[in-house]
Amino acid sequence: MDYAAIKKAAEEYGPAMTKFLRDMIAIPSESCEEKGVVYRIKEEMEKLGYDKVEIDGLGNVIGWMGEGDKIIAIDSHIDTVGIGNINNWEQDPYKGYETDKIIYGRGGSDQEGGMASATYGAKIMKDLGLIPEGYKIMVVGSVQEEDCDGMCWQYIYNVDKIVPEFVISTEPTDGGIYRGHRGRMEIRVDVKGVSCHGSAPERGDNAIYKMADILQDVRALNENPADDSVEIKGLVKMLDPKYNSEHYEDARFLGRGTCTTSQIFYTSPSRCAVADSCAISIDRRMTAGETYQSCLKEIEDLPAVKKYGDDVKVSMYWYDRPAWTGEVYKTECFFPTWINKETAPHVQALIDAHHALWGDERLWADETAKAKRVGRPLTDKWTFSTNGVSIQGRYGIPCVGFGPGAESQAHAPNEITWKQDLVVCAALYAAVPMLYKPGDKTESATSFRQELTGNDIK
């Protein structure tokens, strides 16, 4: 393979990728409102000579290169979060600016930069004849990830009936190759009370006071150690072989699970009455060895939850928000943990491509990027969650990540990404298919995948 030609092509497409990314940033595209950016991506793919471009029922835009039956997919979610407080931005988040090194604006790192690199990476494959015989390349601009990560791929798998050989996620990786991440779930706790006039609170049963006890226990679950000095053993216990004998090594790689109270709600007849209900949302991050059943049971077993018995209900949220097309794909707010062996062939293909093109250390474009990248291993994991929760976590389709930008820029004001990252990623994507060795696949490339632990996933 002519790696110099791949690098040259990626460099030559650099200005076009920058323009394409700036065009996408200029189109507000929060979850369920991606129509404008979907059609801009479709236009770019058609201009570049993709063999086929389609928009599925959920609104994902999918471009195809090649004629084979086997599929190598490159996924980029194209929805963004909102801009938050506009006063925290130094420039217009949708117009922004560029310098010789960076591009400024909402979605640059998270995650439309990945879409630009993927779109042109497949073009380089076609230009240089890098699509292996029997394969075709699938480039996906997926929707609603920020609302419900992985739901878009549930639709692709279950409704579109598309099952790739493996998937490259273009989520930002700070120059690293990422082979997994923690899972997450969204838990709700509801507490019942009885209202009465605030002048005689003893006549009622204050749901907020009950919830106050539960909140302290949720905090303890996150912060406590795991020794016998505490009644509630903390989530750090999953890093200990005593509590997680089969998966503690993977848990140490991914990081411990966490939980935090993210929202609180109540009902009361008035400001002069005792609250008759209270509810909280819990953001639960899960490491290897944890399942959604075990996470729900941990909350159900908290002393304060047991104390209030039938007045407390612990449940998992569901997601059913309509896509920009009007389609609804209802699913549990459960996003499974996944992790690959470093030796898995789809991971190794990216490692080999990086070594051949760019060496064995992470690259950086300026001092800001360098501060985040130097000294970190080339092969690592994400802190946040991605569409990999469905691709591999639910369905066992091998997934691996390499994408332009930085996790630290995600959801932050004054978001930036680096032009050189776009070039680096496009070149790597173009080289990967020819380096993939399907004959090296074992029965399972997965170290831990929650679906394999008996979860009754809908």
Side-chain angles (χ1 to χ4, degrees), residues 287-350:
T287 194
E290 296 176 318
T291 68
Y292 81 72
Q293 294 101 325
S294 72
C295 294
L296 290 173
K297 190 172 189 303
E298 277 174 337
I299 303 300
E300 292 167 347
D301 287 345
L302 292 174
V305 172
K306 286 187 168 182
K307 174 182 175 181
Y308 296 117
D310 292 341
D311 287 345
V312 184
K313 178 185 177 183
V314 179
S315 61
M316 182 168 22
Y317 277 97
W318 286 76
Y319 180 81
D320 60 357
R321 190 177 172 196
W324 69 263
T325 61
E327 186 87 354
V328 174
Y329 191 96
K330 185 176 180 180
T331 188
E332 313 99 326
C333 292
F334 166 61
F335 311 93
T337 307
W338 60 281
I339 178 176
N340 291 286
K341 296 180 176 68
E342 192 166 347
T343 55
H346 64 293
V347 178
Q348 197 60 49
L350 269 71

Side-chain angles (χ1 to χ4, degrees), residues 8-30:
K8 182 174 183 289
E11 290 283 359
E12 288 175 349
Y13 281 130
M17 285 189 278
T18 293
K19 181 183 183 304
F20 181 32
L21 175 54
R22 291 208 66 189
D23 285 355
M24 287 189 282
I25 289 171
I27 305 169
S29 54
E30 293 179 34

Side-chain angles (χ1 to χ4, degrees), residues 15-267:
M17 285 189 278
T18 293
K19 181 183 183 304
F20 181 32
L21 175 54
R22 291 208 66 189
D23 285 355
M24 287 189 282
I25 289 171
I27 305 169
S29 54
E30 293 179 34
S31 293
C32 308
E33 299 173 6
E34 304 96 339
K35 181 176 180 179
V37 79
V38 163
Y39 278 94
R40 177 64 187 87
I41 293 163
K42 182 174 184 287
E43 175 190 26
E44 193 77 4
M45 288 177 166
E46 290 171 344
K47 182 185 78 175
L48 293 177
Y50 273 63
D51 296 324
K52 181 181 179 183
V53 185
E54 57 189 332
I55 299 169
D56 71 8
L58 194 69
N60 300 303
V61 56
I62 303 172
W64 298 93
M65 288 284 204
E67 303 293 335
D69 295 327
K70 295 180 180 179
I71 299 167
I72 296 173
I74 310 176
D75 176 64
S76 312
H77 78 77
I78 54 174
D79 59 321
T80 73
V81 295
I83 60 173
N85 183 352
I86 189 62
N87 293 322
N88 289 332
W89 290 79
E90 296 170 2
Q91 298 280 334
D92 186 317
Y94 297 117
K95 293 180 181 177
Y97 64 88
E98 64 176 284
T99 69
D100 59 338
K101 291 186 177 180
I102 70 168
I103 300 167
Y104 176 104
R106 175 56 84 218
S109 274
D110 189 22
Q111 197 259 287
E112 290 166 339
M115 187 75 242
S117 291
T119 301
Y120 278 83
K123 170 63 172 169
I124 295 169
M125 293 179 210
K126 184 174 183 178
D127 290 346
L128 301 182
L130 299 176
I131 301 174
E133 185 177 352
Y135 283 84
K136 57 186 171 185
I137 306 302
M138 174 189 184
V139 179
V140 184
S142 50
V143 297
Q144 290 178 268
E145 189 272 353
E146 296 290 5
D147 254 14
C148 188
D149 29 321
M151 184 272 285
C152 47
W153 271 88
Q154 291 184 56
Y155 193 93
I156 290 168
Y157 182 90
N158 291 311
V159 180
D160 297 341
K161 305 295 185 184
I162 298 172
V163 184
E165 181 89 356
F166 71 92
V167 179
I168 301 170
S169 169
T170 69
E171 287 270 13
T173 61
D174 273 308
I177 295 165
Y178 286 2
R179 60 185 180 94
H181 59 68
R182 296 178 302 167
R184 70 180 187 92
M185 63 186 298
E186 297 173 2
I187 299 172
R188 182 178 171 105
V189 181
D190 287 270
V191 176
K192 294 188 294 186
V194 178
S195 64
C196 69
H197 200 284
S199 64
E202 69 278 2
R203 297 173 185 164
D205 184 14
N206 197 315
I208 290 176
Y209 289 167
K210 291 178 177 178
M211 187 62 80
D213 292 341
I214 294 171
L215 286 168
Q216 292 300 319
D217 283 1
V218 171
R219 184 176 182 178
L221 181 63
N222 186 65
E223 297 181 0
N224 277 2
D227 57 41
D228 293 334
S229 67
V230 291
E231 180 182 8
I232 301 171
K233 289 184 168 52
L235 297 177
V236 69
K237 65 181 181 286
M238 298 305 286
L239 306 184
D240 188 333
K242 177 180 176 181
Y243 299 101
N244 190 16
S245 59
E246 190 174 353
H247 300 294
Y248 74 94
E249 291 179 324
D250 287 338
R252 289 177 179 179
F253 171 74
L254 293 176
R256 51 159 290 181
T258 59
C259 64
T260 189
T261 303
S262 56
Q263 294 177 316
I264 188 164
F265 318 95
Y266 72 93
T267 61

